[in-house]
Amino acid sequence: MSRVVYLHVGAPKTGTTYLQDRLALNKTELARHGVHYPLQLHASQFRPALDLLEMPWGGLHVDVDGEWEGLMNRVRRLNGKVIVSHEILAAARTNQVKRAMASLEGAEVHLVYSARDLARQIPAEWQEGIKHQRKQAFAGFLSKVQSSRRTKPNMWFWRVQSLPDVLSRWSKGLPPENVHLVTVPQAGAPRDLLWRRYCQAFGIDPAWAPEQSDRENVSIGAAETTLVRRLNRRLKDAGLPSEEYRRLVRELVVHQTLAQRPGMTKVTLPPAAFPWADEVADEWIEWIVGSGIDVIGDVADLRPVPTAPGTPWANPDRPRRVEMVDAALDAIVALAMEAANRPDPHEQITARIGRAARRLRGQ
């Protein structure tokens, strides 16, 4: 039986967390239909992707050596359809793409890329950066995005989000019909539409993965993001280790606390940036049509949808102080409860001394 590998390379913030978790949850059922999502000890293919990119990510670059080849070895032992999916793969350099394709030699390779319009992606990527300890204000981030080159880019945003550049890097040597672009539906679309589009790209029946995921890469509001951005500055000076930051700030404060707050002010693109975003969308659509690749969805999804006329724009760098204070209080409560639930170090020391004393008495 032949092997067909679907290589999903991103982009970030296009429903990839939900997709990968649903594939993992239904791994056994999918395998019964000849569709494989190879995992090892970890619940995603993040570590192999990190190994291929040879880049640091919170110190993990030391621990992932050999993970890509390990994943490829598992792929080569499978027949039928095999899905490899991680959004950071979009950032691969030309030599890394060549390495990835060489490791899939002998298989029929299909490339899958998912894209969303810039009016949604720019705020989402800014927030994602803040969750990873960055400290840049939204205005500065937007200015850099607009001024940075989109062809052979150095800026991370464009390395993963510049649709023509990503697909040009990854699709060399592939026929256009083996390159599948999944567009992320605009707001108001049926909740499962993006999932069904992914299934179409992978050539699977949605019914083969009945168990739904409740995971998503959460977003937070303007006040909450600015709070975390300012906190990042203080924590850097305080020297909080990255591992503790991931556990206490990203997971506890952001995901479990701030992301659950009702009525948050959404971070949106300023009205003055929409003409530029429209021009980029025109370039993308022209490239897509000329390339002849398979489009799953509608290229119109890639056009930014402006807010209703007369809607005031909320500057995310200058949120209302009362909103920031309220968000900060929620964060403090979460951290206080975490501290209260931690074992008392003095009690731990006393317990260790007691155990040692009992062992001595037993000698």
Side-chain angles (χ1 to χ4, degrees):
M1 189 177 181
S2 61
R3 182 185 313 111
V4 181
V5 177
Y6 288 84
L7 191 56
H8 176 223
V9 300
K13 308 303 293 185
T14 58
T16 55
T17 299
Y18 177 89
L19 166 70
Q20 292 151 9
D21 194 51
R22 188 158 182 176
L23 291 173
L25 288 171
N26 293 277
K27 183 173 177 289
T28 302
E29 184 64 24
L30 285 166
R32 293 194 183 101
H33 296 276
V35 180
H36 306 281
Y37 183 54
L39 299 171
Q40 201 168 19
L41 296 176
H42 301 276
S44 79
Q45 296 166 345
F46 170 64
R47 292 169 65 88
L50 201 59
D51 180 28
L52 179 70
L53 267 58
E54 300 176 297
M55 61 182 292
W57 195 286
L60 290 175
H61 60 295
V62 176
D63 304 322
V64 298
D65 187 46
E67 294 265 0
W68 177 260
E69 190 56 34
L71 174 61
M72 292 299 101
N73 285 335
R74 294 192 293 280
V75 169
R76 286 188 283 265
R77 289 195 293 267
L78 296 167
N79 288 317
K81 292 180 179 179
V82 185
I83 299 173
V84 173
S85 172
H86 206 280
E87 57 274 15
I88 68 169
L89 288 171
R93 307 285 188 185
T94 301
N95 62 317
Q96 294 160 348
V97 171
K98 288 180 179 178
R99 178 190 168 195
M101 291 302 185
S103 62
L104 292 170
E105 187 176 0
E108 178 185 330
V109 178
H110 287 248
L111 184 71
V112 179
Y113 182 72
S114 42
R116 191 167 71 150
D117 69 272
L118 289 175
R120 292 181 287 174
Q121 290 298 76
I122 291 173
E125 283 278 22
W126 174 65
Q127 288 186 324
E128 194 66 20
I130 299 301
K131 290 194 292 182
H132 286 78
Q133 297 180 270
R134 293 177 191 158
K135 300 168 285 294
Q136 189 174 34
F138 183 70
F141 178 76
L142 175 58
S143 176
K144 187 175 180 181
V145 167
Q146 290 179 297
S147 61
S148 295
R149 69 174 188 260
R150 302 192 297 274
T151 303
K152 296 182 179 179
N154 289 320
M155 185 182 183
W156 172 265
F157 179 87
W158 288 123
R159 281 178 62 190
V160 297
Q161 300 290 347
S162 182
L163 185 153
D165 189 79
V166 173
L167 287 179
S168 295
R169 265 183 281 130
W170 273 102
S171 65
K172 283 184 180 175
L174 294 178
E177 60 269 22
N178 283 28
V179 180
H180 312 282
L181 171 66
V182 175
T183 64
V184 177
Q186 289 287 350
R191 187 172 178 82
D192 67 340
L193 180 56
L194 180 58
W195 163 247
R196 287 190 277 114
R197 286 181 180 179
Y198 274 127
C199 288
Q200 184 179 339
F202 298 134
I204 64 176
D205 187 329
W208 296 349
E211 188 171 350
Q212 298 194 31
S213 169
D214 59 2
R215 285 195 63 200
E216 59 179 338
N217 197 345
V218 296
S219 295
I220 52 179
E224 292 77 11
T225 308
T226 294
L227 170 67
V228 176
R229 179 171 65 84
R230 294 181 181 179
L231 180 62
N232 288 346
R233 292 178 178 173
R234 301 285 183 94
L235 292 177
K236 182 179 180 181
D237 293 339
L240 182 72
S242 293
E243 183 59 41
E244 286 296 303
Y245 181 92
R246 283 194 293 272
R247 192 174 67 81
L248 292 174
V249 180
R250 193 184 313 163
E251 292 303 321
L252 176 62
V253 172
V254 176
H255 289 180
Q256 298 176 29
T257 305
L258 298 182
Q260 311 306 319
R261 285 168 50 80
M264 291 184 286
T265 301
K266 188 177 180 180
V267 179
T268 59
L269 207 61
F274 273 88
W276 164 82
D278 283 331
E279 289 180 10
V280 177
D282 287 338
E283 292 174 11
W284 286 4
I285 293 170
E286 182 180 1
W287 185 93
I288 292 164
V289 173
S291 69
I293 63 174
D294 177 38
V295 178
I296 301 167
D298 190 337
V299 292
D301 291 328
L302 302 176
R303 294 193 183 279
V305 177
T307 54
T311 303
W313 179 67
N315 186 343
D317 292 330
R318 299 186 178 215
R320 294 175 60 218
R321 183 172 294 275
V322 65
E323 291 182 1
M324 276 194 63
V325 170
D326 198 44
L329 288 172
D330 282 347
I332 291 170
V333 168
L335 291 168
M337 295 302 294
E338 170 68 14
N341 290 329
R342 282 190 173 189
D344 189 309
H346 297 293
E347 291 181 1
Q348 289 181 311
I349 293 171
T350 302
R352 284 201 297 271
I353 293 173
R355 287 195 296 271
R358 287 192 294 274
R359 284 196 301 271
L360 288 172
R361 287 197 298 270
Q363 290 179 353

